[in-house]
Amino acid sequence: MHPATDSFDKLSNRLQAAFIRLAKDEHLWSGDLYSALRNVTTTLAEVLEVGRASVWRMSPDRHELVCQLLFRTDRQGFESGASLPAAQFPHYFGVLDEERLLDVPDAANDQRVQERYPGHLRPLGIGACLEATLHEAGQLAGVLCLEHLGSPRLWSRDEQLLAISVADLLSQLQVFHTLKDRERSYRSIFDAAGDAILTIVDGLIADCNPQAQLMLGRPRAELIGKPVTDFSPEMQGDGRRSDDKAEGLLQAAIDVGPQQFEWTHRRADGSRIETEVSLSAIWLAGRCQVTAIVRDVTERRLAEQIRQTSAELLKQRNLALQVVLNLASQLHRSSDSEAIADETLRVLQLLQRAPLSLFHLAGEDGEHFEVIASTGYTPAQIAARRRMPIERSLSGQALALGQILHCTNVEDDERIDPVIRERSLIDGIHSFTVLPLVYQDKQLGVIGLQFYDCGNEFSDAELEILRAVSQTVSLALANARSVQALEFQATHDSLTGLPNRTQLHRDATESLRWIAGSPRQLALMLLDLDRFKEVNDTLGHRTGDQLLKLVATRLQAAIEREDAMLARLGGDEFAILLRSVTDADQAQDIARSIVAALRTPIEVEGIFIELGASIGVAVYPQHGGTSHALLRCADVAMYAAKGNASSVSLYDNSHDAHNPRRLAMITELGSAIRSEQLVLHYQPRYSLQEGRWCSCEALVRWQHPKLGFIPPGEFVQFAETSELIRPLTLWVARTAVRQLALWQQTGLCISTSINLSTRNLLDITLPEALAELLREYGLQPGSLELEITETALMTDPDRAMQTIERLAELGMRLSIDDFGTGYSSLAYLKRMPLHALKIDRSFVRDMLHDDQDAIIVRSTIGLAHSLGLQVVAEGVEDPATLSRLREYGCDEAQGYVLSKPMAHAAALRVMQAPLPIQTG
């Protein structure tokens, strides 16, 4: 093993062992909070070798952070009480609210802690710090601070994970000890309230509370210094003498432990009191003190009733919380807002007593709510409430305040909109409760619970459950929207909003499934604009983009009466899926009408532009049985249409012969593999968290003796449609593995990756062939990474999964390439034995300037890490993007800012040299 790797492994093991030791330490939970904090801070200071380890708690008014405990290694002592006012450090508090972890390798130059540096960090000699936030009920509750004295320090990924894990442990400890203290206080008050308490020393009453005086009907002076039996009848109910029985019970409390029994007392007026007595002994200042808690029978019976009621309430609350937990589990598996709404209202019917309920989502206009689910309402009543105003409504106020609001009487509540009041009274509704749905200050909607009678306020316990439901549903809706945004981004063109190639293949595949066996046919058309390049070159890309949007609108109008879907494949290429046509003639007629629609000039920024188009038409089943086959045939037909200037062309076999370049590639690729016309270039990958070159991607190139350089995008697609894909893939794998073995002999500890196609995943012999290749060159299976695209899984998912699982069993690592541009089924990805996701360059390129791309990148990193996957960012073009990716927690990066693809010798020089730029 490489020394650096061994060192990292030892550090990782040490950190893991430290956390496991803390997590399993029963004293953290059984002792007091101060002792627990002492244990945690000293352990962290020792294992992370930091000068200062401290835990800070947010004050109740949220105006400052207060140091609960600070351990200093220089003094081997503890301090507490220091504070950080929010008003003095507003930026720092804002960062804590936004970031889970503050990884500060250089405190002097990190903007996040600049407010604290002059007055706190620099005087104390703190060169680096690692801070993880504590949370309670979804809010910032405190900070775990680990401060390194002296020079800057780069925190490893394992150290960061340890800080986060311990912060989570501390959050649980804070809540646990708070609840324990409250329970102790509550129990003490509960036990003392309304009970007589006597303190007995050496058999005589040493002290008593007022309730004891009241119960016995005697002043304190008559009780102190007297034996308890002076206020008891001579004989007890069991026939024993009071003095003998009392002496035995007092001694048993001292020798054995607490005693509970029934006892008969006598008041000053001679009346008897049947009581229940609890004795407990404690040694104070060398003397044994016995405390007697005395309760009369009436109070005991009342207390039993109270306990039974409390137990029932606790049972109901626990059942309600279990229902909420089940709801959370159910909702977080759904990305459908209506399904979330239906399940939420169903559960609310179990948790509360409202006969009517409505689930509103805030509309995109920000002015209205839209009902998406209800219970108890008729269709006519729902229609009348389909759109409700946000302004001047109780629902709008609840949403703005982020609080549950209740109206006890609709008729005289001034917060109710007059229209809503009138409608409610007509339907017999006289009170209701509104639950706001808010996530991170984003207003999502409300849940309304309506009652036929006035009043109906909820108890504190019920409100606590409703708040839990509100928070759970808010999080589920926010997650659903994020997933929907990712799904839409992956399946739609960002410029026009039209479906992209991936969505086209999905819809076409589904349509083929429905039409199979029927007399109807399906047509796929590929449209390429004529003279669009001239517009782009003359008027610029901005005008060109605007023109493409207008063309998309024109095309949508041209096919609106057809059962069709319009997609943009890229550039000036569009595809039209006709889901049902009678024959090829009808498909061509529709294509001609589309061309005619485009001939009408389009006005762009005051300029009228006339465009033509060439359309290739392919029809199922004549020209292919899959969407990919039909699209290829439509592509060939489209080029034929351009060649003969006919605007519309139907595919036939002769079209393929009209492209000598394609024929040359198809016929000569096999000989190119055998005659070493192919070469591999390598693009290194850099680990942002470990600060080293960690891998490289092998990319095939073809230098044709006649046609010159042929990009892989041209010839690989033809290999995929023939039997050449297997020898091509094995040639790439052998060349890459051989080179990797040579590099590892020089001491370069990296892995390499190659790309697999759809047909590779359907080749059940491929895993064994790759395993044999690795054994031949003496390499570990994990040194070879296999990149697959999301769309490669769509042709035959079950068979592809068998191949993928076999590759994983053999030890090879698998990653999803171009993640976000293809088949993004999260459930499907979760099943796959993946190692990493590679975020497509289209999202990385503009993430610094496009908030949507930044959200997608950050969400993808979080999603991958939650699934236990590493994340590689492709297409990183500048240092700023590289630094931001590192802040987001991205594991590895690849792109021109690091290195372009190059021959093996040049790639080796790059990976043996230090990174010429700073990553953060």
Side-chain angles (χ1 to χ4, degrees), residues 109-131:
N109 297 299
D110 196 306
Q111 291 299 317
R112 296 172 295 177
V113 296
Q114 282 307 294
E115 291 174 333
R116 296 174 50 211
Y117 187 75
H120 174 65
L121 303 180
R122 182 171 60 192
L124 294 174
I126 296 170
C129 59
L130 185 62
E131 302 186 5

Side-chain angles (χ1 to χ4, degrees), residues 40 214 266 345 376 410 515 532 574 595 636 735 767 871 875:
V40 171
L214 180 64
R266 186 180 64 226
L345 295 189
V410 171
I515 207 170
F532 178 75
F574 294 83
V595 172
V636 173
T735 305
V871 181

Side-chain angles (χ1 to χ4, degrees), residues 207-394:
D207 200 359
C208 61
N209 69 344
Q211 186 63 30
Q213 301 171 48
L214 180 64
M215 182 188 74
L216 295 174
R218 299 175 186 271
R220 175 183 174 85
E222 292 185 13
L223 298 176
I224 301 302
K226 305 289 180 58
V228 176
T229 54
D230 281 6
F231 313 107
S232 306
E234 182 179 0
M235 304 297 292
Q236 287 296 311
D238 59 359
R240 297 178 61 188
R241 290 179 56 85
S242 292
D243 51 2
D244 293 339
K245 185 175 181 178
E247 181 180 359
L249 290 170
L250 288 172
Q251 193 62 44
I254 297 171
D255 296 340
V256 179
Q259 303 290 310
Q260 290 86 32
F261 52 92
E262 292 184 352
W263 189 266
T264 303
H265 284 283
R266 186 180 64 226
R267 289 193 178 97
D269 61 6
S271 62
R272 294 192 175 197
I273 316 166
E274 298 298 329
T275 66
E276 182 183 69
V277 181
S278 174
L279 296 182
S280 59
I282 184 172
W283 287 88
L284 297 174
R287 300 182 70 185
C288 184
Q289 173 180 297
V290 177
T291 300
I293 300 176
V294 185
R295 181 178 300 166
D296 67 25
V297 172
T298 303
E299 292 298 325
R300 179 179 64 80
R301 290 175 179 171
L302 179 61
E304 287 176 354
Q305 183 179 0
I306 292 173
R307 283 197 299 272
Q308 290 173 358
T309 303
S310 299
E312 183 61 29
L313 289 175
L314 181 60
K315 179 180 178 182
Q316 293 176 3
R317 183 175 180 275
N318 288 339
L319 288 174
L321 288 175
Q322 185 60 51
V323 171
V324 174
L325 289 174
N326 293 338
L327 174 65
S329 175
Q330 186 74 19
L331 297 189
H332 291 167
R333 291 196 295 267
S334 176
S335 60
D336 185 340
S337 297
E338 292 190 5
I340 290 173
D342 289 336
E343 180 64 17
T344 300
L345 295 189
R346 185 190 70 79
V347 169
L348 281 172
Q349 290 298 302
L350 302 175
L351 295 177
Q352 50 81 46
R353 57 189 179 278
L356 307 171
S357 57
L358 292 170
F359 195 113
H360 303 265
L361 286 185
E364 294 183 1
D365 59 6
E367 298 179 357
H368 292 86
F369 291 115
E370 296 181 1
V371 176
I372 64 169
S374 66
T375 55
Y377 284 93
T378 66
Q381 291 173 328
I382 291 298
R385 292 168 169 78
R386 185 65 62 189
R387 281 171 61 85
M388 306 288 283
I390 293 179
E391 290 293 331
R392 306 182 314 279
S393 70
L394 189 64

Side-chain angles (χ1 to χ4, degrees), residues 13 30 136 189 222 293 399 418 456 481 498 504 509 642 655 788 832 856:
N13 292 337
S30 61
E136 182 177 332
I189 295 172
E222 292 185 13
I293 300 176
L399 200 57
N456 293 294
R481 291 190 176 185
L498 293 174
L504 171 69
T509 301
K642 282 187 176 293
H655 288 168
I788 56 180
M832 297 173 59
I856 290 172

Side-chain angles (χ1 to χ4, degrees), residues 528-542:
D528 186 83
L529 298 176
D530 297 336
R531 300 183 299 279
F532 178 75
K533 186 177 185 301
E534 299 172 15
V535 175
N536 242 3
D537 293 343
T538 304
L539 301 179
H541 290 286
R542 179 176 175 276

